[in-house]
Amino acid sequence: MIVDTPRDERTAAEADTVRLEGISKTFGAVRALKDVNLAIGPGRILGLVGHNGAGKSTLMNVLAGTLAPDEGRISVAGREQPAYDVSQAHRSGIRCVFQELSLCPNLTVAENARVLHPAIRGWNWRRRAGKLIQDKLDEVFPGHGISRDALVSDLSLGHRQMVEIARALTLTTAPLRLLILDEPTSSLDAHTATQLLEHIRKLAQTGCSIILISHLLGEILGASDRIVVMRNGEVIHQDDASAFDRSKLIALMGDSRPADAPSEPGQDDGPTHDVRVRQTPAGPHQIEITAHAGEIVGLAGLAGHGQTRFLLEVFKAAQRRHAGIGVSGSVAIVAGDRQKDGVFPLWSIGLNAAVRSIRSLRRGGFLSPSLESEFAQAWQKRMGIKTPDMSLGILSLSGGNQQKALFARALGSDAAIILMDDPMRGVDIGTKRDVYDIIRHEARAGRTFLWYTTEMEELKYCHKVYVFREDQVIAELSRSELTEEKIIQSSFEEEAAS
């Protein structure tokens, strides 16, 4: 029997920028999406939340045309799209900024802009493509400092994310009807993230629809008109943003635990290993970084101002390959840029997690499959890695679950010092809390943590914080002194350290 849709409902449906109906998708034995319905109207900002593996990124890949659904219908501006792929999505004005960035690393910023816009051709196309992306970077991220002629592989992760966002916003022949942002601020500092959120609010006022995925619930609550919650591949709740608060979102996602307050430093007999670096050349704000056993030391400031470089220098110093930094104790690192510096893409999940502990997993000089399997299973459970089998390839995991495997690699090792390079990128709030608990437990046992983070809330778990500006440490803040205002002031003013 055919049921006719009432006229007012048809009008509402036709007004939607995009409507997804009954979308399902499976990967082998894993059902990633289960009969998902989703709609967004013109000029609306829809916040999409859920834990890692909830199906958010899979759903957005379907909407962007990079994945074909097994079942369901996709309509754009009231018209069903029977043959839907990336090209059709672009022609329909749908752009996606993926969590795993899609830029070509061997091309320049301008050349990457040209990849998205084949209409830019002929004489002097590089100059035109460069101007297109440069103008958009200037509009969205004033003071960005990114050259159109820079190779993408030479850019920091934060700068690459800015280029990816700006490129998605550039226009030539196709309109921009819907912008999908999958964890767009995960590698941006607070100042740059604010610039982006202000821009998308202005963009929505022009009639463009926006889907915002973020594990930073403050961003979702502050920017969205409507919020959709996903769990286990299904939409379990949706309502106007005004109907939610942080506690309700956390409960709906499946984690109702109250937030734990940062712990005080553990009591030890004395430091068993130190990390020290003295800023050179000497200057009026020269500050020595010192981390003792059992301390969680935060590194803050605007992204790209030397925090990652410092962590890499400490890593080299532990291998006696860097002068000027004294390190006593073995070191492991949790990379923030998992694509470039983290995962081994051809290896299994278990081997990616166990590679730092290979020596302890040998029997008779050979890697023991049983010990490796025991290690993998133990850390799958401890980190909550969502997979039916740790022997599957690492790329079978969502981005957040890949990051959990990197945590397992570092925390499961014998390293006395753990370096963390803004490692919570794309990790859900439940896993974050579990990791925070592990970090505090390990610190009380005497482990040292050097933690670069762009999230203010994470700095509150640190015993002290060093603020970087232009490769110099220009302020040291104790936990009692730590405020967002002081960090921002230090990030912009040389006089702040005094």
Side-chain angles (χ1 to χ4, degrees):
M1 182 177 72
I2 299 175
V3 179
D4 188 31
T5 303
R7 180 177 178 82
D8 57 343
E9 292 186 19
R10 286 203 306 269
T11 303
E14 290 169 0
D16 290 330
T17 303
V18 166
R19 176 173 287 265
L20 305 177
E21 297 176 278
I23 300 295
S24 295
K25 182 68 181 178
T26 59
F27 299 97
V30 178
R31 193 170 189 189
L33 297 174
K34 306 172 187 177
D35 194 26
V36 174
N37 298 311
L38 188 73
I40 180 170
R44 304 283 286 175
I45 302 177
L46 187 148
L48 185 59
V49 299
H51 287 325
N52 294 128
K56 307 182 302 297
S57 293
T58 302
L59 184 63
M60 292 305 100
N61 273 278
V62 168
L63 185 49
T66 55
L67 276 179
D70 299 329
E71 300 174 13
R73 297 184 298 174
I74 301 172
S75 299
V76 180
R79 296 183 179 180
E80 188 174 343
Q81 308 291 316
Y84 192 75
D85 57 15
V86 173
S87 297
Q88 181 58 37
H90 280 198
R91 287 193 296 270
S92 300
I94 297 173
R95 304 278 181 86
C96 186
V97 176
F98 295 102
Q99 182 180 349
E100 304 298 335
L101 305 184
S102 63
L103 299 174
C104 300
N106 60 324
L107 301 182
T108 67
V109 172
E111 289 165 346
N112 268 279
R114 165 62 179 76
V115 169
L116 192 65
H117 296 288
I120 301 177
R121 64 184 69 182
W123 178 256
N124 223 4
W125 65 263
R126 279 188 178 84
R127 182 187 65 78
R128 287 182 282 129
K131 185 177 187 307
L132 183 70
I133 188 69
Q134 192 83 49
D135 287 349
K136 189 56 67 173
L137 281 166
D138 292 343
E139 178 185 348
V140 183
F141 304 109
H144 54 82
I146 302 170
S147 169
R148 69 183 76 178
D149 299 319
L151 274 178
V152 165
S153 59
D154 293 336
L155 299 179
S156 68
L157 179 58
H159 279 171
R160 275 182 276 148
Q161 192 156 31
M162 292 159 70
V163 171
E164 180 106 9
I165 292 166
R167 184 178 72 159
L169 289 164
T170 55
L171 300 176
T172 49
T173 55
L176 181 57
R177 185 174 277 129
L178 170 67
L179 178 65
I180 305 166
L181 297 169
D182 191 352
E183 300 289 350
T185 65
S186 59
S187 299
L188 305 181
D189 56 63
H191 173 70
T192 312
T194 299
Q195 289 179 325
L196 173 62
L197 293 174
E198 289 177 349
H199 184 81
I200 66 172
R201 291 188 189 99
K202 294 177 183 176
L203 185 64
Q205 292 173 1
T206 69
C208 180
S209 303
I210 295 156
I211 297 178
L212 173 63
I213 302 175
S214 179
H215 288 303
L216 301 178
L217 301 186
E219 289 184 355
I220 292 291
L221 292 166
S224 305
D225 300 310
R226 189 169 182 82
I227 297 176
V228 172
V229 183
M230 291 189 69
R231 189 195 302 168
N232 298 326
E234 297 178 276
V235 172
I236 62 159
H237 193 83
Q238 56 182 310
D239 207 337
D240 292 339
S242 59
F244 295 90
D245 58 20
R246 185 182 178 88
S247 297
K248 183 175 180 179
L249 280 179
I250 292 172
L252 285 167
M253 286 190 294
D255 186 352
S256 58
R257 291 186 305 153
D260 296 323
S263 64
E264 290 302 318
Q267 298 298 318
D268 301 298
D269 294 333
T272 57
H273 48 268
D274 296 333
V275 179
R276 285 192 175 91
V277 59
R278 187 176 297 279
Q279 297 295 310
T280 55
H285 303 313
Q286 175 178 310
I287 296 174
E288 183 182 46
I289 293 178
T290 305
H292 297 292
E295 285 188 328
I296 304 171
V297 177
L299 310 179
L302 299 179
H305 278 249
Q307 304 93 332
T308 297
R309 177 190 60 79
F310 168 67
L311 290 177
L312 293 177
E313 288 174 353
V314 173
F315 187 81
K316 292 176 183 177
Q319 303 171 57
R320 307 294 187 269
R321 291 191 288 130
H322 193 287
I325 302 178
V327 180
S328 176
S330 56
V331 169
I333 188 166
V334 183
D337 188 351
R338 56 180 166 266
Q339 284 184 304
K340 183 179 178 183
D341 304 318
V343 302
F344 294 94
L346 300 181
W347 292 8
S348 69
I349 306 164
L351 192 52
N352 263 277
V355 63
R356 178 62 175 76
S357 304
I358 289 294
R359 289 183 181 179
S360 65
L361 302 177
R362 292 185 299 184
R363 280 182 181 158
F366 296 94
L367 180 64
S368 167
S370 62
L371 290 178
E372 180 192 348
S373 177
E374 289 173 9
F375 179 95
Q377 296 301 323
W379 280 96
Q380 178 188 10
K381 183 177 180 180
R382 192 170 184 187
M383 297 304 305
I385 299 173
K386 191 171 183 179
T387 179
D389 192 338
M390 291 290 280
S391 66
L392 294 175
I394 186 72
L395 297 185
S396 68
L397 297 178
S398 66
N401 278 288
Q402 289 178 31
Q403 200 69 17
K404 295 178 191 180
L406 299 187
F407 272 112
R409 179 192 300 172
L411 295 171
S413 74
D414 61 356
I417 303 165
I418 306 295
L419 312 176
M420 303 196 300
D421 185 16
D422 206 11
M424 301 296 187
R425 178 172 176 258
V427 176
D428 63 66
I429 190 168
T431 300
K432 284 182 179 181
R433 288 177 172 180
D434 292 340
V435 174
Y436 299 155
D437 289 343
I438 294 172
I439 290 171
R440 291 183 303 202
H441 172 79
E442 295 294 320
R444 284 193 293 269
R447 244 178 180 171
T448 301
F449 291 84
L450 286 172
W451 186 356
Y452 166 48
T453 175
T454 53
E455 295 187 35
M456 179 64 196
E457 288 301 312
E458 293 183 345
L459 293 173
K460 295 177 182 178
Y461 289 86
C462 300
H463 301 128
K464 58 185 175 183
V465 173
Y466 294 97
V467 183
F468 281 67
R469 183 178 185 273
E470 296 179 355
D471 292 317
Q472 294 285 318
V473 178
I474 48 87
E476 178 183 350
L477 303 174
S478 66
R479 178 182 287 171
S480 61
E481 299 173 308
L482 188 62
T483 64
E484 189 168 8
E485 290 75 18
K486 280 195 175 183
I487 290 176
I488 292 174
Q489 182 186 28
S490 299
S491 299
F492 285 97
E493 298 179 16
E494 291 181 339
E495 296 80 5
S498 59

